Amino acid sequence: MIVLKKSSECLDLVVLKKSKGSIVGLVPTMGALHAGHLSLIKASKQENDFTVCSIFVNPTQFNEIEDFIQYPKPTENDIGLLEQAECDLLFLPNENEIYDKGINELDTYHLGYLEHYLEGASRPGHFKGVANVVDRFLKIIKPDHLYLGQKDYQQVKVLQALLLQKKFATKIVMCPIVRESNGLAMSSRNERLTEQQRKNAGGIAETLFFIRDNYRNYGLPELQKKSIARINSIPEAKLDYLEFCDADAFTTVSDWNSAKHIVVVTAVKIAAVRLLDNILLH
Ligand code: AMP
């Protein structure tokens, strides 16, 4: 695997690969790689000739400086995992490489209500930071395919809006959520949970599976109430939201027939760790 830190070198190599007819896949990450990230690499390897992974802990998408500082950076281990996965190129830029004018000089995008809804409401400015970093990566790598996890469902919606607005030819490929044995969605932040908290956090996925298995038996408001009660019964859990949304438009739905596809999205804090999960119903 080639490791490059400079955008210009990365751009030159990808241009060369493309000139020889290679189809390019990009997997953007913040590192501390786990099986969820590696599933994206695997998908990209299957569908492209050249797979690029980026590792960059993006300062502009964090709301709390403490969360940014504490974000794990096991770079050597990540490189080993990417080599095993036979990733072709790791782009490992530093902050100046991506934000040459500094992190306060951000571009503004018209992401609409998505920017201020659910995750956007709880994390002001988060999606502006995500859009800024992904826009910059897309300009450097110009991938044919961009691999994103369903785990961050609203992020996928935001990036779909960005691609449309900026007229990028890149296609988004959304990959399924990889889970731990108790159902907990894999996340680099799970490392910050104690063993007991991690066990308890399995209750979030159990609630989503309960919804998936029962939604035809209840009205939506009733099932939402029951599900919220389940989450609230998890020790140390503080529910931020559990919302039923149109999976395409990503707007709230209040009955089963008001959308062709429904996704249930939730954000729950267990002690100080904020966890996201979701499930597609139909
Ligand atoms: P992150 O490093 O957390 O920014 O995540 C990088 C990419 O990996 C994003 O597209 C995430 O949605 C995806 N991802 C994170 N966790 C998982 C998971 N458990 N299963 C599948 N994809 C994931």
Side-chain angles (χ1 to χ4, degrees):
M1 182 177 70
I2 303 165
V3 181
L4 294 176
K5 296 189 172 183
K6 295 265 166 250
S7 310
S8 55
E9 289 173 357
C10 201
L11 193 143
D12 289 349
L13 179 59
V14 175
V15 167
L16 180 72
K17 290 285 170 191
K18 286 193 145 199
S19 73
K20 292 182 177 166
S22 289
I23 304 292
V24 177
L26 170 65
V27 180
T29 80
M30 297 208 295
L33 302 180
H34 51 65
H37 297 114
L38 297 175
S39 74
L40 269 52
I41 302 280
K42 191 171 170 198
S44 174
K45 294 260 324 156
Q46 280 167 356
E47 295 157 5
N48 299 275
D49 306 300
F50 193 70
T51 291
V52 185
C53 176
S54 60
I55 296 183
F56 180 63
V57 183
N58 177 31
T60 65
Q61 71 185 69
F62 283 81
N63 300 81
E64 291 164 25
I65 182 79
E66 213 32 53
D67 191 24
F68 175 60
I69 291 168
Q70 279 191 23
Y71 206 84
K73 295 181 190 67
T75 309
E76 286 310 310
N77 192 55
D78 285 348
I79 291 175
L81 290 171
L82 290 172
E83 270 170 350
Q84 267 175 32
E86 299 182 353
C87 177
D88 299 297
L89 168 63
L90 167 61
F91 180 40
L92 193 62
N94 67 19
E95 197 172 296
N96 294 337
E97 198 62 30
I98 299 301
Y99 295 107
D100 54 339
K101 293 189 201 127
I103 57 170
N104 295 320
E105 289 290 314
L106 295 184
D107 292 328
T108 298
Y109 305 90
H110 302 288
L111 304 169
Y113 73 97
L114 276 174
E115 209 173 339
H116 309 290
Y117 176 60
L118 299 181
E119 272 309 278
S122 299
R123 305 186 63 186
H126 169 69
F127 286 126
K128 186 176 184 181
V130 170
N132 264 271
V133 75
V134 173
D135 186 16
R136 285 154 208 243
F137 282 145
L138 292 177
K139 281 181 189 140
I140 298 166
I141 295 155
K142 300 184 185 69
D144 298 282
H145 300 118
L146 176 67
Y147 289 82
L148 302 171
Q150 182 193 321
K151 161 141 179 309
D152 298 282
Y153 196 88
Q154 190 170 353
Q155 174 168 279
V156 175
K157 291 285 149 194
V158 164
L159 294 177
Q160 277 173 351
L162 172 80
L163 260 59
L164 205 67
Q165 193 191 322
K166 303 281 285 191
K167 299 188 171 65
F168 281 115
T170 304
K171 298 231 166 356
I172 289 180
V173 181
M174 184 172 81
C175 299
I177 302 172
V178 177
R179 299 180 177 281
E180 298 190 3
S181 56
N182 68 349
L184 175 64
M186 286 196 178
S187 164
S188 309
R189 290 191 175 89
N190 294 353
E191 302 300 322
R192 305 218 307 255
L193 298 169
T194 64
E195 207 179 311
Q196 187 57 50
Q197 288 168 340
R198 206 158 167 156
K199 219 167 143 188
N200 297 340
I204 301 169
E206 272 169 30
T207 304
L208 295 177
F209 299 154
F210 166 77
I211 295 170
R212 179 198 59 201
D213 297 341
N214 288 286
Y215 78 96
R216 293 190 191 280
N217 305 330
Y218 298 98
L220 191 153
E222 192 186 356
L223 190 56
Q224 187 172 29
K225 212 169 144 197
K226 279 183 185 296
S227 310
I228 289 173
R230 278 182 172 240
I231 301 247
N232 284 333
S233 72
I234 300 171
E236 296 181 83
K238 195 163 177 295
L239 178 71
D240 184 350
Y241 58 79
L242 183 136
E243 200 74 8
F244 292 68
C245 297
D246 181 322
D248 300 311
F250 207 67
T251 46
T252 298
V253 293
S254 47
D255 66 76
W256 303 125
N257 298 324
S258 50
K260 195 166 162 208
H261 304 289
I262 292 180
V263 63
V264 186
V265 286
T266 189
V268 182
K269 239 180 169 179
I270 302 249
V273 185
R274 196 160 176 281
L275 302 168
L276 298 188
D277 204 345
N278 66 76
I279 199 157
L280 282 157
L281 297 189
H282 61 246

